[in-house]
């Protein structure tokens, strides 16, 4: 009994002592895990480190409004608005920074002017009527501005500006009731906001800029490449063998289309930011960024069908093996040519050239559809088991929809090439084609020997039968 009582008494104490002894090891493991996570974030995109340093630099520069005495005497405590502006408007991309800076500056200017006017209007009604008038004006403008935030066009580009408008108007109009120097207050706040915004724009553009338009451009091309890699290998994967080789192919088969399905919000945000950016690099001032959204929408539609098509790869009920074999060539050609078309489109977007090769692959895909329909029709007439044909027909039907999507994407990229003035690439003629064209007209000259006896006017029966001496010869030596 004494031993049991001793264990019960020392049990909680021993447990707590064990936790205390294990605490350094657990803390060390958490620190190591956090360091690995930070390292991975930095390695995935080194621009994140640059962005952090740029923000620190911008904050240091605007802090001079407090550190330098002459600047502090000019702006006073209002210099804090410059620091606050840098914190809230400095974004990862140049377009995001410009968007917030312009929205904040313009909204502050308009709201300050309206707030000053509201204060002047309310002062007409005397000391008793002034607060009532200000309250009514704040209520009307705040309610109307908040409602405009639900409008899709305003919410997409000017939501932050409307929010700053409500804040600034309320501060200026309400504080003006207790502040005599209202105009000086509005001027100081507007000037410090402009200083903070200008600092953000200069640092964002001049030091390793990250352009939202360029990111959108690369994202759309990358999504097309992901779909192309899947479609190019679909035929082989659909008709793969069984056993260990199957598992290897399944692991190595690209599944990048899944990320394409979730790209809508990112592309829309990048397009909204890209509109604010000035011309840079290969992109002019009024680049058709909205056309990228159209291409992205069609790409996601294609990715939805690819996701449905992916369900038939690991499905045991693939239909009749005979039918699958009969349509294998057409099915593989459709997927391969569609993938080649998407690859050509992605390359055209990256290099900003006219996507001429894509039309060739699309036509090949449409030609394969005709062959596939004939094969399915023949299989349906020969095979009485319709249920065995349904999985094959469903797979073929989804592929046909994908070909239709690829054709729409091709047209949309071609429209982008016209609006963005992509450069044309002259088609290169391979050296094999001219040889192939003359192969049938040059060789007979060397092989056919024609003998004409000019001295004799009579022809033997053999000459009359063959008629070689009397047949006319064309300019390349081939009888016609």
């Amino acid at each position: 009994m004494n031993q049991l009582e001793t264990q019960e008494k020392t049990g909680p104490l021993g447990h707590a002592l064990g936790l205390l002894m294990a605490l350094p090891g657990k803390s060390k493991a958490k620190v190591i895990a956090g360091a690995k996570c930070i390292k991975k974030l930095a390695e995935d995109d080194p621009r994140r480190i640059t962005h952090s340093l740029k923000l620190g630099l911008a904050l240091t520069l605007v802090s001079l409004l407090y550190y330098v005495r002459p600047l502090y005497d000019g702006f006073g405590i209002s210099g804090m608005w410059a620091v606050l502006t840098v914190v809230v408007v400095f974004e990862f991309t140049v377009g995001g920074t410009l968007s917030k800076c312009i929205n904040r500056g313009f909204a502050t200017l308009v709201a300050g002017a309206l707030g000053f006017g509201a204060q002047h209007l309310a002062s007409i009604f005397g000391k008793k009527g002034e607060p009532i008038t200000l309250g009514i004006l704040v209520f009307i403008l705040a309610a109307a501005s908040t409602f405009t935030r639900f409008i899709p066009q305003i919410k997409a580009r000017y939501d932050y500006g409307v929010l700053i408008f409500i804040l600034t108007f309320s501060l200026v109009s309400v504080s003006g009731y207790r502040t005599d120097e209202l105009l000086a207050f509005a001027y100081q706040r507007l000037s410090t906001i402009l200083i903070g915004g200008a600092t953000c724009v200069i640092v964002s553009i001049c030091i390793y800029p990250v352009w939202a338009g360029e990111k959108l451009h690369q994202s759309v091309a990358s999504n097309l490449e992901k779909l192309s890699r899947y479609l190019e290998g679909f035929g082989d994967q659909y008709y793969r063998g069984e056993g260990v080789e199957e598992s290897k192919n399944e692991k190595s088969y690209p599944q990048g289309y899944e990320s394409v399905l979730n790209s809508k919000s990112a592309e829309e945000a990048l397009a909204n930011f890209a509109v604010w950016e000035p011309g840079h690099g290969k992109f002019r001032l009024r680049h058709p960024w909205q056309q990228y959204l159209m291409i992205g929408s069609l790409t996601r539609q294609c990715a939805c069908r690819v996701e449905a098509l992916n369900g038939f790869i690991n499905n045991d009920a693939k239909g009749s093996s005979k039918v699958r074999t009969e349509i294998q060539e057409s099915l593989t050609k459709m997927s391969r040519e569609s993938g080649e078309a998407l690859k050509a489109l992605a390359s055209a977007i990256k290099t900003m050239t006219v996507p001429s090769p894509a039309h060739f692959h699309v036509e090949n895909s449409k030609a394969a559809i005709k062959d596939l329909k004939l094969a399915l029709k023949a299989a349906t007439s020969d095979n009485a088991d319709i249920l065995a044909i349904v999985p094959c027909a469903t797979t073929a039907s989804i592929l046909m929809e994908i070909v239709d999507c690829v054709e729409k994407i091709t047209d949309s990229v071609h429209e982008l090439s016209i609006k963005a003035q992509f450069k044309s690439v002259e088609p290169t003629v391979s050296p094999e084609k001219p040889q192939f064209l003359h192969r049938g007209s040059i060789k007979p000259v060397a092989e056919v020997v024609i003998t004409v006896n000019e001295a004799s006017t009579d022809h033997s029966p053999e000459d009359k039968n063959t008629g070689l001496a009397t047949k006319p010869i064309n300019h390349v030596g081939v009888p016609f």
Side-chain angles (χ1 to χ4, degrees):
M1 294 293 293
N2 293 332
Q3 293 179 353
L4 293 175
E5 291 177 358
T6 304
Q7 291 178 357
E8 289 178 357
K9 292 180 180 179
T10 58
L13 182 60
H15 182 67
L17 184 61
L19 291 177
L20 184 61
M21 294 178 63
L23 184 60
K26 291 183 178 179
S27 301
K28 182 180 179 181
K30 290 183 178 180
V31 170
I32 294 175
K36 289 182 178 179
C37 181
I38 293 174
K39 181 180 178 182
K40 185 178 183 302
L41 286 174
E43 290 177 347
D44 291 342
D45 193 351
R47 296 177 300 180
R48 294 169 179 168
I49 300 177
T50 307
H51 172 71
S52 303
L53 297 176
K54 288 161 62 176
L55 176 59
L57 176 61
L59 275 176
T60 303
L61 292 176
V62 297
S63 298
L64 296 176
L65 295 177
Y66 265 78
Y67 299 152
V68 180
R69 189 66 187 183
L71 295 177
Y72 180 78
D73 293 338
F75 295 100
I77 198 173
S78 297
M80 186 57 66
W81 288 107
V83 177
L84 181 62
T85 299
V86 172
V87 174
V88 297
V89 306
F90 201 95
E91 292 289 333
F92 185 71
T93 61
V94 175
T97 303
L98 280 170
S99 172
K100 280 196 169 183
C101 286
I102 295 175
N103 271 277
R104 187 177 180 86
F106 188 74
T108 302
L109 177 62
V110 175
L114 289 179
F116 183 78
Q119 179 63 33
H120 181 71
L121 177 63
S123 62
I124 300 176
F125 296 91
K127 290 294 183 181
K128 293 184 179 180
E130 184 176 359
I132 298 175
T133 306
L134 286 176
I136 294 174
L137 292 176
V138 169
F139 171 78
I140 294 175
L141 284 178
S145 301
T146 303
F147 181 79
T148 58
R149 297 180 66 188
F150 294 103
I151 302 175
Q153 292 80 2
I154 294 180
K155 186 175 182 61
R157 296 187 183 180
Y158 311 109
D159 184 70
Y160 180 72
V162 175
L163 182 65
I164 295 300
F165 172 83
I166 298 173
L167 175 64
T168 304
F169 178 78
S170 302
L171 288 177
V172 172
S173 59
V174 173
S175 61
Y177 183 71
R178 299 292 183 182
T179 304
D180 296 332
E181 298 179 355
L182 180 60
L183 186 59
F185 171 76
Y187 167 75
Q188 289 179 347
R189 179 175 179 186
L190 178 61
S191 58
T192 51
I193 287 177
L194 292 178
I195 291 174
T199 303
C200 292
V201 171
I202 293 173
V203 172
S204 181
I205 293 179
C206 297
I207 302 178
Y208 296 103
V210 179
W211 302 100
E214 186 175 353
K215 287 189 64 176
L216 176 62
H217 185 84
Q218 295 173 354
S219 175
V220 171
S222 177
N223 289 340
L224 292 176
E225 281 186 340
K226 292 175 183 177
L227 295 184
S228 70
R229 286 195 296 267
Y230 184 93
L231 291 174
E232 284 178 340
F234 173 78
D236 297 334
Q237 189 72 6
Y238 185 69
Y239 289 97
R240 70 181 184 270
E242 303 291 338
V244 180
E245 183 181 357
E246 177 179 348
S247 61
K248 291 182 179 179
N249 291 337
E250 184 177 349
K251 291 182 180 179
S252 60
Y253 192 54
Q255 302 288 335
Y257 71 90
E258 296 173 351
S259 62
V260 180
L261 298 171
N262 302 320
S263 62
K264 180 179 179 180
S265 58
E267 288 181 356
E268 288 181 348
L270 290 174
N272 288 330
F273 291 153
V275 173
W276 298 93
E277 294 178 345
H280 56 279
K282 299 178 293 184
F283 310 104
R284 52 193 176 88
L285 180 60
R286 299 182 61 85
H287 195 74
W289 300 115
Q290 295 300 319
Q291 188 65 25
Y292 286 89
L293 296 181
M294 179 65 68
I295 298 174
S297 177
L298 294 173
T299 304
R300 284 187 292 274
Q301 292 179 20
C302 186
C304 290
R305 288 160 176 79
V306 168
E307 185 179 32
L309 191 66
N310 187 63
F312 288 90
I313 290 182
N314 301 319
N315 191 1
D316 296 332
K318 292 184 178 180
S320 172
S321 58
K322 180 181 178 182
V323 178
R324 290 178 59 212
T325 303
E326 291 178 355
I327 66 173
Q328 179 177 0
E329 182 178 356
S330 301
L331 201 70
T332 304
K333 184 178 179 181
M334 284 172 59
S335 62
R336 185 179 65 252
E337 292 293 339
S338 298
E340 290 289 342
L342 292 177
K343 181 188 291 186
L345 294 175
S347 177
I349 292 177
K350 285 184 175 181
T351 58
M352 299 189 73
T353 55
V354 178
S356 301
H359 296 280
F360 173 76
H361 295 294
V362 170
E363 292 301 323
N364 288 343
S365 301
K366 295 168 71 174
I369 290 178
K370 297 179 181 179
D371 298 337
L372 182 63
K373 289 181 179 180
L374 295 176
L376 284 175
K377 185 177 181 180
T380 305
S381 59
D382 296 340
N383 197 335
D385 190 3
I386 302 299
L387 295 179
I389 304 175
V390 169
C392 301
T394 305
T395 304
S397 176
I398 296 175
L399 262 177
M400 291 177 188
E401 293 181 1
I402 290 177
V403 172
D404 184 60
C405 283
V406 171
E407 186 177 11
K408 292 179 180 179
I409 295 173
T410 303
D411 295 337
S412 186
V413 174
H414 182 71
E415 185 177 354
L416 172 65
S417 67
I418 296 175
K419 292 181 178 179
Q421 299 178 3
F422 285 2
K423 59 182 179 181
S424 301
V425 178
E426 296 182 0
T428 57
V429 181
S430 61
E432 298 180 357
K433 291 184 178 180
Q435 295 176 3
F436 178 79
L437 293 174
H438 294 289
R439 190 178 301 164
S441 58
I442 294 176
K443 284 186 177 180
V445 178
E447 295 177 357
V448 178
V449 179
I450 304 173
T451 304
V452 180
N453 190 0
E454 298 179 355
S456 176
T457 57
D458 297 332
H459 300 283
S460 62
E462 291 81 6
D463 295 335
K464 292 181 180 180
N465 293 332
T466 58
L468 291 177
T470 59
K471 282 191 176 181
I473 307 299
N474 65 358
H475 66 283
V476 293
V478 179
F480 59 87

